[in-house]
Amino acid sequence: MSKNLSELSGRQGLNNNLFDKMGKLAAQTGTPSKEDLEKLAEEFLIGKANAYGTTSFYDFLKPDNKGKKVYVCNGSTCLTAGTQKQLQDNLEQHFDSSEIGHMCCLGRCHENSAFHYDGQNYSAKDASAIESIIKGDKTQNQDSYGIQALGTAILTRPFSNVQDFYSPFLKALQTDSKTVLEEIKIANVRGRGGAGFPMGLKLEFCRKETNDTKFIICNADEGDPGAFSDRYLLEKQPHAVLFGMLVAGYLTGASWGVLYIRAEYPEAVTIIDNAIQELRTAQLLGENIQNSGFNFDLKIIQAQGSYICGEETALINSIEGQRPEVRVRPPYPAQQGLFNKPTVVNNVETLATIHYILSNGGANYKALGTERSSGTKLVSLDGWFNKPGVYEVEMGTPLATVINELGGGFRSAIKALHIGGPLGGLVPISKIDDLNIDFESFAKAGFLLGHASIVCIPQDFPMVQYLEHLFKFGADESCGKCFPCRLGTTRAYEMLNKAQKEDYKISKELFDDLLHTLEIGSLCAHGGGLPLPVRNALEYFDEELNTYFE
């Protein structure tokens, strides 16, 4: 991380944001022109090499993206669904292969056959649907999936109207902010992005910092293939997210909120922007909100295709227009984050819990779930379920209940569930009855709940191919800052790929050493977390995988 580059990027403020401008320069052709990029580097005094180094990293800014017209989803659920090869073939009837790129993932895990065209996402089951979309039928952009709460509905409650919904916020403005913060600490909300760190402590750390400028960042870069719960909140419950950001700003003394929304969710950007305009109309944003002395505004930054930006320090670097490399900690973002200012980064779902807590009290929220994992959790079920969708359950709910009662079971034979994204636990079907939806249950059994997305691996899908896919994903999405991750993910992918194509067997000792190096040597959870599902697979599917090892 360069502190000087952070300062240079921040000197013009959020309204004239370097990364935002890079994205706009790429909008027409897929990558910024050399001339435009040089002008931008000069404007921000960051140097041509830094500007090029940044844009060449992102999927939708790099030179290779020039001329792309359509993007096929290559996420895990579309892979295991087996729909994408036919989709690619159908698209090649309308586009040259050089015009077809890839995105991961489009959040259409419930129906697959997903692709992006002309600024919107679609799922086309056959060639005629693609032809209709290309002719301009944008109605096919609409999709539907099950949404249901089992028990108390917190994140899936129907929205009323702006005036009523924001009344707890107006009440909070008349209350000492420390008292309001105590309610969130009592609720014991643990981060829903996967790490599980208490939100109240993050807010308190930032609150204690003395600085005229602080930031609240909503991490809406939901990049875990199989997860579309954040997409649901952004598109169906936008005010729950914005409410949480306003309150977080009030509690910490922040004056800006940034929504970093992934490029793969273009519809969410439009919906959130419309919700922000509703807040402006209601005079709930800006200077001296409702004569309270609290100043707060919101800015949308559209991401440009990078899974590592889900890691909070890489995300901060991204907003600054730097390469999204993970920062060494300490200092932590709460002390020195965006533009070197105190910053709180929270996941979409985490922020969305605040409305219920302020409306019903922290103790009420804490009473839901388990002792250490309080509240509710959204779970995403993919297209292999009879009833795919987003389901809200209390922490501690048996996994079997989610699968059999809410999801309606599987529509064909499944041998494993990859839960919590690429870094989550790979759970064999035999373990379903042993697990509950909470952090402790999964950790005790040697798995990881993470984001609680569920990707099904069919009985006939080769496990070695799935592991190869994981490491290919890990190598493609590594920020490259630390050697264990940058090199280790690539070498693991090469070994698994070679073992399927040649008379070659992987040394178990060598492979275990590689996994151990990733675990202990990686700078962040991207490299450090990938070995978990691989070890799960080696433990529970050893008979299937042994043929590739010696």
Side-chain angles (χ1 to χ4, degrees):
M1 175 189 87
S2 168
K3 293 182 180 180
N4 290 334
L5 287 177
S6 298
E7 295 289 343
L8 286 170
S9 177
R11 69 192 177 96
Q12 298 191 43
L14 274 172
N15 283 327
N16 190 32
N17 178 259
L18 172 59
F19 184 67
D20 199 32
K21 285 193 167 187
M22 289 175 170
K24 288 180 169 62
L25 289 177
Q28 294 301 315
T29 64
T31 186
S33 71
K34 179 182 177 181
E35 295 73 23
D36 285 340
L37 206 55
E38 287 179 355
K39 290 178 183 177
L40 202 59
E42 185 176 341
E43 178 186 348
F44 283 86
L45 304 176
I46 63 167
K48 297 175 185 178
N50 289 316
Y52 180 79
T54 294
T55 54
S56 62
F57 183 92
Y58 295 89
D59 289 343
F60 312 126
L61 295 181
K62 62 187 180 183
D64 293 352
N65 193 53
K66 187 174 183 178
K68 293 292 186 288
K69 295 181 179 179
V70 62
Y71 300 85
V72 175
C73 179
N74 62 0
S76 303
T77 52
C78 282
L79 171 75
T80 61
T83 59
Q84 302 312 83
K85 185 181 184 304
Q86 185 60 57
L87 173 63
Q88 177 91 16
D89 291 343
N90 291 339
L91 287 170
E92 287 181 0
Q93 301 302 311
H94 303 274
F95 302 94
D96 186 81
S97 60
S98 65
E99 297 175 324
I100 302 175
H102 294 274
M103 282 187 168
C104 182
C105 128
L106 301 184
R108 290 185 170 242
C109 316
H110 55 290
E111 56 186 7
N112 310 119
S113 300
F115 70 100
H116 177 95
Y117 173 68
D118 195 24
Q120 291 188 310
N121 294 335
Y122 298 92
S123 295
K125 299 296 184 183
D126 52 47
S128 63
I130 292 175
E131 187 171 351
S132 176
I133 290 167
I134 292 173
K135 287 181 178 178
D137 181 11
K138 292 189 179 293
T139 61
Q140 294 198 46
N141 166 254
Q142 302 301 312
D143 65 334
S144 62
Y145 47 85
I147 302 168
Q148 182 183 340
L150 182 67
T152 304
I154 292 176
L155 302 166
T156 55
R157 286 187 298 172
F159 175 71
S160 51
N161 57 71
V162 170
Q163 182 178 354
D164 292 339
F165 191 81
Y166 283 87
S167 60
F169 167 63
L170 297 178
K171 182 179 178 181
L173 291 181
Q174 306 304 317
T175 308
D176 180 66
S177 58
K178 185 176 182 180
T179 301
V180 179
L181 177 58
E182 284 303 312
E183 289 299 314
I184 293 176
K185 290 173 65 178
I186 289 169
N188 191 35
V189 184
R190 296 176 62 182
R192 298 309 198 228
F197 190 81
M199 174 171 58
L201 290 182
K202 263 192 185 182
L203 295 172
E204 187 172 52
F205 293 155
C206 186
R207 175 190 175 87
K208 289 180 178 178
E209 293 297 310
T210 302
N211 203 300
D212 292 337
T213 305
K214 298 181 182 181
F215 297 97
I216 302 296
I217 297 178
C218 173
N219 183 349
D221 195 43
E222 177 182 61
D224 288 346
F228 51 103
S229 52
D230 283 359
R231 180 193 163 208
Y232 157 73
L233 290 170
L234 293 167
E235 295 182 6
K236 307 297 184 184
Q237 303 280 3
H239 282 292
V241 182
L242 300 184
F243 181 100
M245 296 188 73
L246 278 166
V247 172
Y250 175 60
L251 300 183
T252 58
S255 54
W256 274 101
V258 181
L259 293 113
Y260 187 91
I261 305 177
R262 62 198 309 257
E264 294 86 347
Y265 288 176
E267 298 88 353
V269 174
T270 301
I271 292 169
I272 287 290
D273 187 55
N274 290 338
I276 290 174
Q277 300 313 314
E278 290 177 343
L279 291 186
R280 295 200 194 286
T281 301
Q283 298 183 324
L284 292 172
L285 283 178
E287 299 291 322
N288 192 24
I289 299 172
Q290 299 292 309
N291 297 315
S292 65
F294 174 49
N295 307 319
F296 194 78
D297 214 330
L298 292 165
K299 168 79 172 179
I300 295 174
I301 299 289
Q302 190 164 4
Q304 296 297 331
S306 172
Y307 176 75
I308 197 63
C309 288
E311 198 282 336
E312 62 179 6
T313 63
L315 184 155
I316 288 169
N317 268 7
S318 180
I319 296 173
E320 294 177 352
Q322 301 191 59
R323 283 177 67 88
E325 294 181 343
V326 174
R327 297 181 180 182
V328 177
R329 290 167 286 191
Y332 292 92
Q335 285 79 44
Q336 192 177 98
L338 182 61
F339 307 137
N340 295 328
K341 306 298 184 183
T343 303
V344 171
V345 183
N346 273 129
N347 160 266
V348 172
E349 186 176 337
T350 311
L351 289 164
T353 63
I354 292 179
H355 186 273
Y356 182 90
I357 295 169
L358 264 61
S359 301
N360 299 276
N364 187 297
Y365 185 92
K366 180 69 173 65
L368 302 172
T370 69
E371 178 61 29
R372 294 185 61 193
S373 296
S374 56
T376 64
K377 183 76 191 75
L378 294 180
V379 183
S380 306
L381 304 185
D382 74 2
W384 284 107
F385 287 88
N386 285 311
K387 295 190 292 182
V390 173
Y391 296 94
E392 182 177 14
V393 299
E394 284 191 31
M395 285 288 203
T397 299
L399 177 60
T401 299
V402 174
I403 290 171
N404 299 318
E405 295 183 21
L406 295 175
F410 309 111
R411 57 182 177 84
S412 64
I414 300 299
K415 64 182 175 185
L417 307 173
H418 196 180
I419 302 177
L423 315 181
L426 205 154
V427 180
I429 293 299
S430 61
K431 288 289 183 179
I432 288 176
D433 291 334
D434 299 339
L435 297 171
N436 300 323
I437 302 294
D438 61 64
F439 298 110
E440 290 70 42
S441 170
F442 272 68
K444 184 178 180 181
F447 304 113
L448 181 76
L449 178 64
H451 205 290
S453 57
I454 299 182
V455 175
C456 294
I457 303 177
Q459 189 68 47
D460 59 357
F461 194 94
M463 187 58 70
V464 67
Q465 187 178 332
Y466 192 78
L467 297 186
E468 177 194 10
H469 160 76
L470 282 183
F471 277 116
K472 178 69 165 60
F473 175 85
D476 288 346
E477 300 296 342
S478 173
C479 81
K481 185 167 185 175
C482 68
F483 285 172
C485 179
R486 184 174 77 192
L487 301 178
T489 52
T490 300
R491 295 295 170 260
Y493 162 71
E494 290 172 346
M495 284 191 281
L496 290 163
N497 180 270
K498 186 177 180 180
Q500 296 176 74
K501 295 180 178 179
E502 303 177 20
D503 183 18
Y504 167 78
K505 290 187 181 293
I506 302 168
S507 164
K508 286 186 176 180
E509 182 179 359
L510 177 64
F511 199 72
D512 183 70
D513 184 60
L514 186 152
L515 295 178
H516 180 67
T517 303
L518 278 169
E519 286 170 331
I520 68 169
S522 296
L523 190 56
C524 79
H526 182 71
L530 271 172
L532 174 65
V534 179
R535 291 197 185 282
N536 292 154
L538 292 170
E539 178 180 356
Y540 294 106
F541 297 94
D542 58 319
E543 187 174 340
E544 178 184 344
L545 292 170
N546 272 341
T547 185
Y548 302 99
F549 290 83
E550 63 177 7

